[in-house]
């Protein structure tokens, strides 16, 4: 498909012109003028509600953004994504994570891949049943009590998020741990309290070549040998999830313990594949299938809803509006739910590894911005660390506030307090506090005039700071699946507008290569001189101080 720079499209030009007007929008006034604003600018999909009324947009803005999506041929791209076109051109791969949760045939090069997916799900189901029932045991015939999943990036962040988010559904017989960092502290502190006889390891790596994962897997195997004293124990205590079965077999994992996936599943989109095995072990296969069903609900919505009423499209286009027309470089993800604590980390990889790109699909350098920095933390903790900057700092930072109507936990007053804060923060960001209001507040507090004057500038909140609110009825496997898929598709929408390939990640390679070059240099005490002065200086300082 021929592409051309989005900046040359009429809709982009129209949005640039419109931004000059929008820069003067005042959210308070927009709400005052239009009491129907929430109804106009909110959307429901299953158990998810998206409120985008607290944004610097009017119906005209949204019409122009939808025009941009149409001029970028977004609907064709969505069809190509679901249809298995090799849209990951730099790796010559299809992008079919949606097939992992499809309930109908998906053909890739004439082959029905949903049959392969179903086979893997069935194998996962048998394995989960064996481990959960205690039929599968370790070398001393004891049932497993601890599952240690060794993987990094996409082979860790999604399952870690889902296991924590769905803890109320987890079987009590397992504790599930995730080890990702090559810092030995991660593995050592995880294993310290565990019993090798009852510990099951999942080595999760699409490539089975990732340095961190292999170093941790080898160390874990040594830890097991030290107790089992028999190489054969590996077969009972290790399973692999990988697209490189040969490497997993070389490691000592039996073919029956290798759960495969395919090159058409990107690492950061792989939660729905066997990479989700820790989740399935924790919550059971039926619940895992509910997670898939939730993602499928969102796929259905994304592929059929009109652009103007399409959640991932709206979320994606709002991001474009701020990044490309207001110069926003930073976007906060703020789950008001402790169980979604890991969502910001998950979305960092999803958004920044996908769209943190500087060249277009055809290799030409971009002259417009792409993915912003994604960051965040759970509320209300975040309010007591960085919210000051959101409210009164000098930068415009957009934010997604994610909250759940119902909690799994019975401390009902806590949930109401949590949600009071959830609602209050987006209201405060939007409304701000005028000089008049701040002054009246201080007077009501009994402050004298000579105190009010100097304090006043510090007490003013500019407001007019946009945010999105996403409300989930309850954090369940199905709603979590829909929420994650919402963000997956948002990322795709933005990649189409920006004309970048969201599915490769060449930017992670250089550092890996240099680390491999430096590693042997660290094994001797001889000073190095092969790098720049700073790198030489740091390496030599390290050697002198060991
Ligand atoms: O280094 C980045 C990356 O390639 C991610 O894209 C991926 O999710 C992660 O490493 C882990 O890769 P693997 O699953 O092959 O070990």
């Amino acid at each position: 498909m021929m592409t051309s720079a989005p900046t040359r499209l009429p809709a982009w030009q129209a949005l640039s012109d419109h931004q000059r007007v929008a820069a003067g929008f005042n959210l308070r006034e927009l709400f005052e003028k239009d009491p129907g604003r929430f109804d106009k600018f909110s959307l429901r999909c299953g158990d998810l509600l998206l409120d985008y009324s607290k944004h610097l947009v009017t119906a005209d803005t949204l019409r122009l953004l939808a025009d941009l999506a149409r001029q970028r041929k977004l609907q064709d791209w969505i069809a190509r994504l679901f249809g298995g076109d090799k849209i990951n051109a730099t790796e010559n791969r299809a992008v079919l994570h949606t097939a992992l949760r499809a309930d109908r045939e998906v053909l890739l090069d004439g082959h029905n891949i949903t049959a392969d997916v179903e086979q893997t799900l069935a194998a996962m189901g048998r394995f989960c049943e064996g481990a959960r029932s205690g039929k599968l045991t370790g070398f001393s015939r004891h049932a497993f009590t601890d599952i240690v999943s060794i993987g990094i990036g996409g082979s860790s962040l999604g399952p870690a998020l889902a296991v924590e988010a769905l803890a109320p559904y987890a079987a009590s017989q397992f504790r599930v741990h995730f080890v990702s960092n090559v810092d030995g502290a991660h593995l050592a502190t995880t294993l310290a309290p565990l019993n090798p006889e009852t510990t099951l390891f999942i080595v999760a790596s699409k490539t089975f070549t990732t340095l961190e994962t292999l170093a941790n897997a080898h160390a874990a195997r040594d830890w097991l040998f030290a107790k089992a004293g028999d190489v054969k124990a590996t077969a009972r205590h290790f399973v692999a999830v990988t697209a490189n079965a040969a490497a997993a077999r070389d490691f000592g994992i039996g073919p029956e313990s290798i759960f495969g996936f395919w090159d058409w599943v990107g690492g950061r989109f792989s939660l729905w594949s066997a990479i989700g095995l820790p989740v399935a072990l924790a919550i059971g296969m039926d619940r895992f299938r509910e997670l898939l069903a939730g993602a499928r609900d969102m796929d259905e919505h994304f592929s059929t809803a009109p652009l103007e009423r399409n959640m991932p499209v709206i979320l994606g286009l709002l991001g474009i509006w701020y990044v490309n027309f207001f110069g926003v470089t930073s976007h906060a993800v703020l789950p008001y739910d402790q169980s979604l604590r890991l969502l910001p980390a998950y979305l960092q990889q999803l958004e920044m590894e996908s769209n943190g790109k500087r060249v277009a699909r055809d290799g030409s350098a971009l002259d417009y911005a792409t993915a912003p920095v994604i960051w965040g933390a759970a509320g209300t903790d975040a309010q007591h660390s960085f919210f000051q900057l959101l409210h009164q700092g000098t930068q415009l930072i957009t934010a997604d506030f994610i909250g759940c109507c119902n909690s799994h936990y019975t401390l009902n007053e806590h949930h109401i307090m949590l949600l009071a804060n959830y609602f209050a923060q987006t209201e405060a960001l939007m409304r701000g506090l005028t000089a008049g209001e701040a002054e009246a507040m201080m007077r009501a507090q009994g402050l004298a005039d000579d105190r009010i004057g100097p304090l006043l500038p510090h007490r003013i909140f500019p407001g007019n700071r946009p945010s999105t609110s996403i409300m989930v009825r309850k954090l369940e496997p199905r709603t979590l699946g829909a929420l994650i898929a919402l963000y997956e598709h948002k990322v795709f929408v933005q990649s189409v507008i920006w004309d970048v390939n969201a599915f490769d990640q060449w930017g992670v390679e250089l550092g890996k290569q240099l680390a491999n070059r430096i590693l042997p240099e660290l094994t001797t005490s001889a000073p190095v001189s092969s790098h720049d002065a700073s790198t030489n200086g740091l390496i030599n300082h390290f050697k002198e101080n060991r």
Side-chain angles (χ1 to χ4, degrees), residues 195-443:
N195 176 0
E197 293 176 60
T198 57
T199 301
L200 174 71
F201 291 98
I202 301 172
V203 185
S205 175
K206 181 176 171 184
T207 55
F208 224 84
T209 57
T210 303
L211 174 105
E212 293 91 332
T213 301
L214 289 185
N216 282 323
H218 281 103
R221 199 176 57 180
D222 293 346
W223 177 80
L224 181 71
F225 281 170
K227 178 80 183 200
D230 182 357
V231 188
K232 290 198 210 92
T234 314
R236 295 190 83 94
H237 284 260
F238 278 79
V239 299
V241 181
T242 185
N244 182 359
R249 278 198 301 276
D250 289 348
F251 180 84
I253 299 176
E256 68 296 339
S257 302
I258 299 175
F259 299 90
F261 64 111
W262 306 271
D263 71 357
W264 42 264
V265 182
R268 53 193 172 273
F269 299 88
S270 64
L271 167 65
W272 327 99
S273 71
I275 287 290
L277 187 62
V279 188
L281 280 163
I283 65 173
M285 206 56 205
D286 290 347
R287 297 282 195 202
F288 185 72
R289 283 182 184 271
E290 287 172 21
L291 181 82
L292 301 184
R296 184 164 65 239
D297 294 340
M298 189 52 70
D299 294 343
E300 187 67 25
H301 169 79
F302 181 51
S303 55
T304 57
L307 298 179
E308 292 82 355
R309 302 298 295 163
N310 191 313
M311 259 192 202
V313 172
I314 289 171
L315 215 51
L317 291 176
L318 286 169
I320 301 284
W321 178 229
Y322 292 109
V323 167
N324 297 110
F325 299 92
F326 283 81
V328 161
T329 57
S330 169
H331 178 76
V333 176
L334 306 166
Y336 270 64
D337 196 303
Q338 186 66 12
S339 305
L340 288 173
R341 186 180 63 96
L342 298 178
L343 186 65
Y346 174 80
L347 293 182
Q348 278 178 328
Q349 187 197 15
L350 185 66
E351 302 214 12
M352 293 162 81
E353 201 171 79
S354 297
N355 286 337
K357 306 285 164 67
R358 55 174 287 283
V359 296
R361 286 175 187 277
D362 66 4
S364 56
L366 302 178
D367 59 2
Y368 48 86
T370 57
V373 175
I374 304 289
W375 58 288
T380 58
D381 280 5
Q383 289 174 204
H384 299 272
S385 60
F386 54 75
F387 267 49
Q388 164 65 39
L389 184 146
L390 295 184
H391 286 287
Q392 288 187 316
T394 51
Q395 303 174 49
L396 179 61
I397 294 174
T398 51
D400 290 354
F401 284 74
I402 300 125
C404 298
C405 301
N406 299 284
S407 170
H408 283 280
Y409 301 94
T410 49
L411 297 164
N412 192 37
E413 289 301 315
H414 281 62
H415 194 60
I416 289 171
M417 284 190 271
L418 175 69
L419 284 207
N421 279 277
Y422 170 82
F423 298 125
Q425 289 298 329
T426 61
E427 187 175 33
L429 284 166
M430 183 275 282
R431 290 185 61 80
L433 194 70
T434 63
E437 288 165 344
E439 192 177 332
M441 195 181 274
M442 286 189 280
R443 278 195 202 293

Side-chain angles (χ1 to χ4, degrees), residues 27 31 51-56 426-427 430 465-467 469:
L27 283 170
F31 275 101
D51 170 25
Y52 54 103
S53 58
K54 289 195 185 88
H55 275 289
L56 297 165
T426 61
E427 187 175 33
M430 183 275 282
R465 301 200 164 188
S467 66
S469 297

Side-chain angles (χ1 to χ4, degrees), residues 211-212 506-518:
L211 174 105
E212 293 91 332
W506 300 104
V508 300
E509 295 303 323
L510 180 61
K512 286 186 195 171
Q513 281 160 18
L514 293 183
N516 283 333
R517 207 178 105 197
I518 291 173

Side-chain angles (χ1 to χ4, degrees), residues 43 111 122 146 154 170 264 272 289 415 459 531:
L43 191 57
H111 174 73
D146 290 87
W264 42 264
W272 327 99
R289 283 182 184 271
H415 194 60
R459 303 289 299 259
H531 303 270

